[in-house]
mmCIF file of all heavy atoms in Angstrom:
data_model
loop_
_atom_site.group_PDB
_atom_site.id
_atom_site.type_symbol
_atom_site.label_atom_id
_atom_site.label_comp_id
_atom_site.label_asym_id
_atom_site.label_seq_id
_atom_site.Cartn_x
_atom_site.Cartn_y
_atom_site.Cartn_z
ATOM 1 N N ASP O 897 -34.901 49.578 10.345
ATOM 2 C CA ASP O 897 -34.098 48.594 11.061
ATOM 3 C C ASP O 897 -32.731 48.526 10.397
ATOM 4 O O ASP O 897 -32.635 48.458 9.164
ATOM 5 C CB ASP O 897 -34.770 47.218 10.989
ATOM 6 C CG ASP O 897 -33.873 46.112 11.506
ATOM 7 O OD1 ASP O 897 -33.610 46.107 12.724
ATOM 8 O OD2 ASP O 897 -33.429 45.269 10.691
ATOM 9 N N ILE O 898 -31.682 48.544 11.196
ATOM 10 C CA ILE O 898 -30.314 48.479 10.679
ATOM 11 C C ILE O 898 -29.779 47.067 10.884
ATOM 12 O O ILE O 898 -29.534 46.632 12.002
ATOM 13 C CB ILE O 898 -29.396 49.508 11.381
ATOM 14 C CG1 ILE O 898 -29.993 50.916 11.284
ATOM 15 C CG2 ILE O 898 -27.993 49.459 10.784
ATOM 16 C CD1 ILE O 898 -30.199 51.415 9.874
ATOM 17 N N ASP O 899 -29.607 46.367 9.763
ATOM 18 C CA ASP O 899 -29.101 45.005 9.802
ATOM 19 C C ASP O 899 -27.927 44.889 8.815
ATOM 20 O O ASP O 899 -27.963 44.123 7.856
ATOM 21 C CB ASP O 899 -30.222 44.017 9.444
ATOM 22 C CG ASP O 899 -29.739 42.576 9.426
ATOM 23 O OD1 ASP O 899 -28.740 42.285 10.111
ATOM 24 O OD2 ASP O 899 -30.338 41.752 8.716
ATOM 25 N N LEU O 900 -26.917 45.690 9.067
ATOM 26 C CA LEU O 900 -25.731 45.718 8.206
ATOM 27 C C LEU O 900 -24.702 44.747 8.766
ATOM 28 O O LEU O 900 -24.137 44.981 9.842
ATOM 29 C CB LEU O 900 -25.166 47.139 8.119
ATOM 30 C CG LEU O 900 -26.123 48.176 7.515
ATOM 31 C CD1 LEU O 900 -25.480 49.551 7.502
ATOM 32 C CD2 LEU O 900 -26.552 47.782 6.108
ATOM 33 N N GLU O 901 -24.454 43.675 8.045
ATOM 34 C CA GLU O 901 -23.628 42.589 8.563
ATOM 35 C C GLU O 901 -22.237 42.547 7.946
ATOM 36 O O GLU O 901 -21.465 41.635 8.240
ATOM 37 C CB GLU O 901 -24.357 41.268 8.332
ATOM 38 C CG GLU O 901 -25.735 41.283 8.977
ATOM 39 C CD GLU O 901 -26.437 39.951 8.906
ATOM 40 O OE1 GLU O 901 -25.788 38.942 8.591
ATOM 41 O OE2 GLU O 901 -27.650 39.935 9.174
ATOM 42 N N ASN O 902 -21.933 43.513 7.128
ATOM 43 C CA ASN O 902 -20.637 43.499 6.451
ATOM 44 C C ASN O 902 -19.858 44.780 6.730
ATOM 45 O O ASN O 902 -19.125 45.281 5.883
ATOM 46 C CB ASN O 902 -20.842 43.298 4.951
ATOM 47 C CG ASN O 902 -21.507 41.967 4.652
ATOM 48 O OD1 ASN O 902 -20.936 40.919 4.902
ATOM 49 N ND2 ASN O 902 -22.733 42.001 4.150
ATOM 50 N N GLY O 903 -20.024 45.305 7.931
ATOM 51 C CA GLY O 903 -19.295 46.495 8.325
ATOM 52 C C GLY O 903 -20.194 47.696 8.508
ATOM 53 O O GLY O 903 -21.186 47.869 7.791
ATOM 54 N N LEU O 904 -19.863 48.531 9.488
ATOM 55 C CA LEU O 904 -20.667 49.703 9.808
ATOM 56 C C LEU O 904 -19.754 50.768 10.392
ATOM 57 O O LEU O 904 -18.894 50.472 11.223
ATOM 58 C CB LEU O 904 -21.772 49.298 10.795
ATOM 59 C CG LEU O 904 -22.756 50.355 11.277
ATOM 60 C CD1 LEU O 904 -24.099 49.699 11.603
ATOM 61 C CD2 LEU O 904 -22.226 51.038 12.528
ATOM 62 N N ASN O 905 -19.925 52.010 9.949
ATOM 63 C CA ASN O 905 -19.148 53.140 10.451
ATOM 64 C C ASN O 905 -20.030 53.902 11.434
ATOM 65 O O ASN O 905 -21.046 54.488 11.037
ATOM 66 C CB ASN O 905 -18.710 54.040 9.283
ATOM 67 C CG ASN O 905 -17.874 55.223 9.726
ATOM 68 O OD1 ASN O 905 -18.301 56.041 10.532
ATOM 69 N ND2 ASN O 905 -16.666 55.317 9.191
ATOM 70 N N SER O 906 -19.669 53.878 12.704
ATOM 71 C CA SER O 906 -20.532 54.455 13.728
ATOM 72 C C SER O 906 -20.723 55.962 13.553
ATOM 73 O O SER O 906 -21.819 56.486 13.785
ATOM 74 C CB SER O 906 -19.978 54.156 15.121
ATOM 75 O OG SER O 906 -18.692 54.721 15.295
ATOM 76 N N THR O 907 -19.672 56.655 13.130
ATOM 77 C CA THR O 907 -19.768 58.116 12.984
ATOM 78 C C THR O 907 -20.838 58.489 11.976
ATOM 79 O O THR O 907 -21.721 59.319 12.246
ATOM 80 C CB THR O 907 -18.412 58.701 12.553
ATOM 81 O OG1 THR O 907 -17.441 58.418 13.556
ATOM 82 C CG2 THR O 907 -18.510 60.207 12.333
ATOM 83 N N TYR O 908 -20.796 57.866 10.815
ATOM 84 C CA TYR O 908 -21.691 58.282 9.736
ATOM 85 C C TYR O 908 -23.052 57.598 9.787
ATOM 86 O O TYR O 908 -24.059 58.188 9.382
ATOM 87 C CB TYR O 908 -20.999 58.094 8.392
ATOM 88 C CG TYR O 908 -19.807 59.015 8.273
ATOM 89 C CD1 TYR O 908 -18.503 58.517 8.308
ATOM 90 C CD2 TYR O 908 -19.977 60.394 8.194
ATOM 91 C CE1 TYR O 908 -17.412 59.374 8.240
ATOM 92 C CE2 TYR O 908 -18.893 61.260 8.128
ATOM 93 C CZ TYR O 908 -17.618 60.742 8.153
ATOM 94 O OH TYR O 908 -16.532 61.592 8.097
ATOM 95 N N MET O 909 -23.136 56.366 10.334
ATOM 96 C CA MET O 909 -24.452 55.774 10.510
ATOM 97 C C MET O 909 -25.236 56.528 11.580
ATOM 98 O O MET O 909 -26.445 56.752 11.438
ATOM 99 C CB MET O 909 -24.342 54.293 10.869
ATOM 100 C CG MET O 909 -25.704 53.608 11.070
ATOM 101 S SD MET O 909 -26.900 53.874 9.731
ATOM 102 C CE MET O 909 -26.143 52.930 8.412
ATOM 103 N N SER O 910 -24.554 56.948 12.622
ATOM 104 C CA SER O 910 -25.226 57.761 13.645
ATOM 105 C C SER O 910 -25.727 59.065 13.033
ATOM 106 O O SER O 910 -26.854 59.505 13.304
ATOM 107 C CB SER O 910 -24.262 58.068 14.797
ATOM 108 O OG SER O 910 -23.775 56.884 15.383
ATOM 109 N N GLN O 911 -24.887 59.679 12.219
ATOM 110 C CA GLN O 911 -25.281 60.915 11.541
ATOM 111 C C GLN O 911 -26.499 60.679 10.655
ATOM 112 O O GLN O 911 -27.442 61.486 10.634
ATOM 113 C CB GLN O 911 -24.110 61.419 10.688
ATOM 114 C CG GLN O 911 -24.394 62.693 9.899
ATOM 115 C CD GLN O 911 -23.156 63.137 9.113
ATOM 116 O OE1 GLN O 911 -22.043 63.163 9.640
ATOM 117 N NE2 GLN O 911 -23.344 63.489 7.852
ATOM 118 N N ALA O 912 -26.500 59.563 9.933
ATOM 119 C CA ALA O 912 -27.614 59.240 9.039
ATOM 120 C C ALA O 912 -28.914 59.048 9.812
ATOM 121 O O ALA O 912 -29.973 59.540 9.408
ATOM 122 C CB ALA O 912 -27.277 57.984 8.237
ATOM 123 N N LEU O 913 -28.846 58.344 10.935
ATOM 124 C CA LEU O 913 -30.059 58.078 11.705
ATOM 125 C C LEU O 913 -30.601 59.337 12.369
ATOM 126 O O LEU O 913 -31.821 59.544 12.442
ATOM 127 C CB LEU O 913 -29.780 56.994 12.745
ATOM 128 C CG LEU O 913 -29.517 55.599 12.161
ATOM 129 C CD1 LEU O 913 -29.072 54.630 13.256
ATOM 130 C CD2 LEU O 913 -30.756 55.069 11.450
ATOM 131 N N LYS O 914 -29.709 60.189 12.827
ATOM 132 C CA LYS O 914 -30.162 61.455 13.410
ATOM 133 C C LYS O 914 -30.794 62.344 12.350
ATOM 134 O O LYS O 914 -31.802 63.018 12.598
ATOM 135 C CB LYS O 914 -28.988 62.156 14.081
ATOM 136 C CG LYS O 914 -28.516 61.459 15.359
ATOM 137 C CD LYS O 914 -27.281 62.124 15.951
ATOM 138 C CE LYS O 914 -26.802 61.403 17.208
ATOM 139 N NZ LYS O 914 -25.581 62.009 17.780
ATOM 140 N N SER O 915 -30.230 62.329 11.155
ATOM 141 C CA SER O 915 -30.814 63.096 10.058
ATOM 142 C C SER O 915 -32.192 62.547 9.691
ATOM 143 O O SER O 915 -33.133 63.305 9.455
ATOM 144 C CB SER O 915 -29.886 63.060 8.843
ATOM 145 O OG SER O 915 -30.447 63.745 7.750
ATOM 146 N N LEU O 916 -32.305 61.225 9.645
ATOM 147 C CA LEU O 916 -33.603 60.606 9.343
ATOM 148 C C LEU O 916 -34.643 60.983 10.382
ATOM 149 O O LEU O 916 -35.786 61.299 10.051
ATOM 150 C CB LEU O 916 -33.446 59.086 9.287
ATOM 151 C CG LEU O 916 -34.741 58.296 9.113
ATOM 152 C CD1 LEU O 916 -35.384 58.599 7.770
ATOM 153 C CD2 LEU O 916 -34.485 56.795 9.278
ATOM 154 N N ALA O 917 -34.250 60.954 11.651
ATOM 155 C CA ALA O 917 -35.179 61.319 12.710
ATOM 156 C C ALA O 917 -35.674 62.748 12.532
ATOM 157 O O ALA O 917 -36.861 63.041 12.707
ATOM 158 C CB ALA O 917 -34.519 61.146 14.074
ATOM 159 N N SER O 918 -34.765 63.637 12.169
ATOM 160 C CA SER O 918 -35.140 65.027 11.947
ATOM 161 C C SER O 918 -36.106 65.163 10.768
ATOM 162 O O SER O 918 -37.109 65.878 10.844
ATOM 163 C CB SER O 918 -33.886 65.862 11.691
ATOM 164 O OG SER O 918 -34.212 67.203 11.414
ATOM 165 N N LYS O 919 -35.825 64.447 9.691
ATOM 166 C CA LYS O 919 -36.662 64.536 8.490
ATOM 167 C C LYS O 919 -38.061 63.974 8.727
ATOM 168 O O LYS O 919 -39.037 64.435 8.122
ATOM 169 C CB LYS O 919 -36.010 63.761 7.340
ATOM 170 C CG LYS O 919 -34.698 64.341 6.836
ATOM 171 C CD LYS O 919 -34.069 63.437 5.776
ATOM 172 C CE LYS O 919 -32.653 63.870 5.417
ATOM 173 N NZ LYS O 919 -32.605 65.197 4.773
ATOM 174 N N SER O 920 -38.151 62.987 9.610
ATOM 175 C CA SER O 920 -39.428 62.300 9.803
ATOM 176 C C SER O 920 -40.171 62.749 11.054
ATOM 177 O O SER O 920 -41.065 62.056 11.534
ATOM 178 C CB SER O 920 -39.201 60.792 9.848
ATOM 179 O OG SER O 920 -38.273 60.455 10.848
ATOM 180 N N GLY O 921 -39.783 63.870 11.600
ATOM 181 C CA GLY O 921 -40.521 64.428 12.716
ATOM 182 C C GLY O 921 -39.979 64.077 14.082
ATOM 183 O O GLY O 921 -40.604 64.401 15.097
ATOM 184 N N GLY O 922 -38.823 63.405 14.122
ATOM 185 C CA GLY O 922 -38.159 63.185 15.390
ATOM 186 C C GLY O 922 -38.494 61.902 16.116
ATOM 187 O O GLY O 922 -37.855 61.583 17.116
ATOM 188 N N HIS O 923 -39.486 61.134 15.624
ATOM 189 C CA HIS O 923 -39.902 59.956 16.396
ATOM 190 C C HIS O 923 -40.082 58.705 15.539
ATOM 191 O O HIS O 923 -41.061 57.975 15.711
ATOM 192 C CB HIS O 923 -41.202 60.252 17.144
ATOM 193 C CG HIS O 923 -41.099 61.388 18.100
ATOM 194 N ND1 HIS O 923 -40.417 61.297 19.298
ATOM 195 C CD2 HIS O 923 -41.574 62.651 18.030
ATOM 196 C CE1 HIS O 923 -40.487 62.465 19.930
ATOM 197 N NE2 HIS O 923 -41.168 63.305 19.182
ATOM 198 N N PRO O 924 -39.159 58.386 14.658
ATOM 199 C CA PRO O 924 -39.284 57.113 13.943
ATOM 200 C C PRO O 924 -38.958 55.942 14.866
ATOM 201 O O PRO O 924 -38.284 56.110 15.887
ATOM 202 C CB PRO O 924 -38.232 57.240 12.835
ATOM 203 C CG PRO O 924 -37.179 58.122 13.432
ATOM 204 C CD PRO O 924 -37.934 59.111 14.284
ATOM 205 N N VAL O 925 -39.459 54.778 14.515
ATOM 206 C CA VAL O 925 -39.046 53.554 15.203
ATOM 207 C C VAL O 925 -37.696 53.156 14.619
ATOM 208 O O VAL O 925 -37.567 52.987 13.402
ATOM 209 C CB VAL O 925 -40.079 52.432 15.009
ATOM 210 C CG1 VAL O 925 -39.569 51.118 15.606
ATOM 211 C CG2 VAL O 925 -41.414 52.821 15.636
ATOM 212 N N ILE O 926 -36.680 53.027 15.455
ATOM 213 C CA ILE O 926 -35.339 52.658 14.995
ATOM 214 C C ILE O 926 -34.894 51.411 15.742
ATOM 215 O O ILE O 926 -34.788 51.416 16.970
ATOM 216 C CB ILE O 926 -34.332 53.798 15.219
ATOM 217 C CG1 ILE O 926 -34.724 55.024 14.381
ATOM 218 C CG2 ILE O 926 -32.921 53.343 14.859
ATOM 219 C CD1 ILE O 926 -33.837 56.236 14.606
ATOM 220 N N THR O 927 -34.664 50.341 14.994
ATOM 221 C CA THR O 927 -34.203 49.097 15.591
ATOM 222 C C THR O 927 -32.892 48.670 14.932
ATOM 223 O O THR O 927 -32.539 49.143 13.864
ATOM 224 C CB THR O 927 -35.247 47.970 15.450
ATOM 225 O OG1 THR O 927 -35.346 47.585 14.067
ATOM 226 C CG2 THR O 927 -36.613 48.428 15.925
ATOM 227 N N MET O 928 -32.180 47.769 15.586
ATOM 228 C CA MET O 928 -30.932 47.243 15.062
ATOM 229 C C MET O 928 -30.881 45.739 15.308
ATOM 230 O O MET O 928 -31.460 45.247 16.282
ATOM 231 C CB MET O 928 -29.724 47.901 15.739
ATOM 232 C CG MET O 928 -29.606 49.385 15.492
ATOM 233 S SD MET O 928 -28.114 50.058 16.297
ATOM 234 C CE MET O 928 -28.287 51.800 15.851
ATOM 235 N N ALA O 929 -30.172 45.034 14.428
ATOM 236 C CA ALA O 929 -30.029 43.582 14.566
ATOM 237 C C ALA O 929 -28.576 43.175 14.370
ATOM 238 O O ALA O 929 -28.229 42.492 13.415
ATOM 239 C CB ALA O 929 -30.926 42.863 13.567
ATOM 240 N N PRO O 930 -27.701 43.580 15.271
ATOM 241 C CA PRO O 930 -26.290 43.217 15.146
ATOM 242 C C PRO O 930 -26.062 41.735 15.407
ATOM 243 O O PRO O 930 -26.874 41.064 16.052
ATOM 244 C CB PRO O 930 -25.614 44.069 16.219
ATOM 245 C CG PRO O 930 -26.687 44.290 17.242
ATOM 246 C CD PRO O 930 -27.974 44.383 16.475
ATOM 247 N N GLN O 931 -24.941 41.239 14.916
ATOM 248 C CA GLN O 931 -24.505 39.890 15.261
ATOM 249 C C GLN O 931 -23.881 39.921 16.659
ATOM 250 O O GLN O 931 -23.524 40.979 17.172
ATOM 251 C CB GLN O 931 -23.506 39.402 14.215
ATOM 252 C CG GLN O 931 -24.123 39.330 12.818
ATOM 253 C CD GLN O 931 -23.085 39.183 11.727
ATOM 254 O OE1 GLN O 931 -22.953 38.111 11.147
ATOM 255 N NE2 GLN O 931 -22.350 40.246 11.436
ATOM 256 N N THR O 932 -23.719 38.761 17.256
ATOM 257 C CA THR O 932 -23.193 38.708 18.623
ATOM 258 C C THR O 932 -21.832 39.391 18.745
ATOM 259 O O THR O 932 -21.584 40.126 19.703
ATOM 260 C CB THR O 932 -23.080 37.251 19.112
ATOM 261 O OG1 THR O 932 -22.350 36.485 18.153
ATOM 262 C CG2 THR O 932 -24.443 36.638 19.324
ATOM 263 N N VAL O 933 -20.966 39.156 17.768
ATOM 264 C CA VAL O 933 -19.615 39.727 17.838
ATOM 265 C C VAL O 933 -19.644 41.254 17.807
ATOM 266 O O VAL O 933 -18.729 41.909 18.315
ATOM 267 C CB VAL O 933 -18.742 39.168 16.698
ATOM 268 C CG1 VAL O 933 -19.205 39.688 15.335
ATOM 269 C CG2 VAL O 933 -17.274 39.467 16.919
ATOM 270 N N ASP O 934 -20.711 41.825 17.229
ATOM 271 C CA ASP O 934 -20.813 43.275 17.100
ATOM 272 C C ASP O 934 -21.137 43.975 18.415
ATOM 273 O O ASP O 934 -21.011 45.201 18.515
ATOM 274 C CB ASP O 934 -21.894 43.654 16.080
ATOM 275 C CG ASP O 934 -21.557 43.215 14.676
ATOM 276 O OD1 ASP O 934 -20.373 43.303 14.303
ATOM 277 O OD2 ASP O 934 -22.472 42.786 13.944
ATOM 278 N N MET O 935 -21.584 43.222 19.408
ATOM 279 C CA MET O 935 -22.016 43.826 20.670
ATOM 280 C C MET O 935 -21.237 43.304 21.867
ATOM 281 O O MET O 935 -21.709 43.339 23.001
ATOM 282 C CB MET O 935 -23.522 43.578 20.866
ATOM 283 C CG MET O 935 -24.398 44.163 19.768
ATOM 284 S SD MET O 935 -24.295 45.962 19.604
ATOM 285 C CE MET O 935 -25.217 46.492 21.051
ATOM 286 N N GLN O 936 -20.016 42.854 21.639
ATOM 287 C CA GLN O 936 -19.192 42.353 22.732
ATOM 288 C C GLN O 936 -18.558 43.471 23.553
ATOM 289 O O GLN O 936 -18.184 43.265 24.701
ATOM 290 C CB GLN O 936 -18.100 41.428 22.189
ATOM 291 C CG GLN O 936 -18.579 40.023 21.877
ATOM 292 C CD GLN O 936 -18.671 39.147 23.113
ATOM 293 O OE1 GLN O 936 -17.670 38.646 23.614
ATOM 294 N NE2 GLN O 936 -19.874 38.968 23.635
#
Side-chain angles (χ1 to χ4, degrees):
D897 170 68
I898 306 300
D899 178 25
L900 299 179
E901 303 186 13
N902 298 295
L904 180 151
N905 181 302
S906 61
T907 299
Y908 295 109
M909 180 50 69
S910 302
Q911 179 178 314
L913 292 173
K914 290 176 181 178
S915 178
L916 174 64
S918 177
K919 294 175 189 295
S920 56
H923 300 287
V925 174
I926 297 176
T927 69
M928 297 182 181
Q931 298 166 107
T932 52
V933 69
D934 295 322
M935 300 299 286
Q936 280 280 282

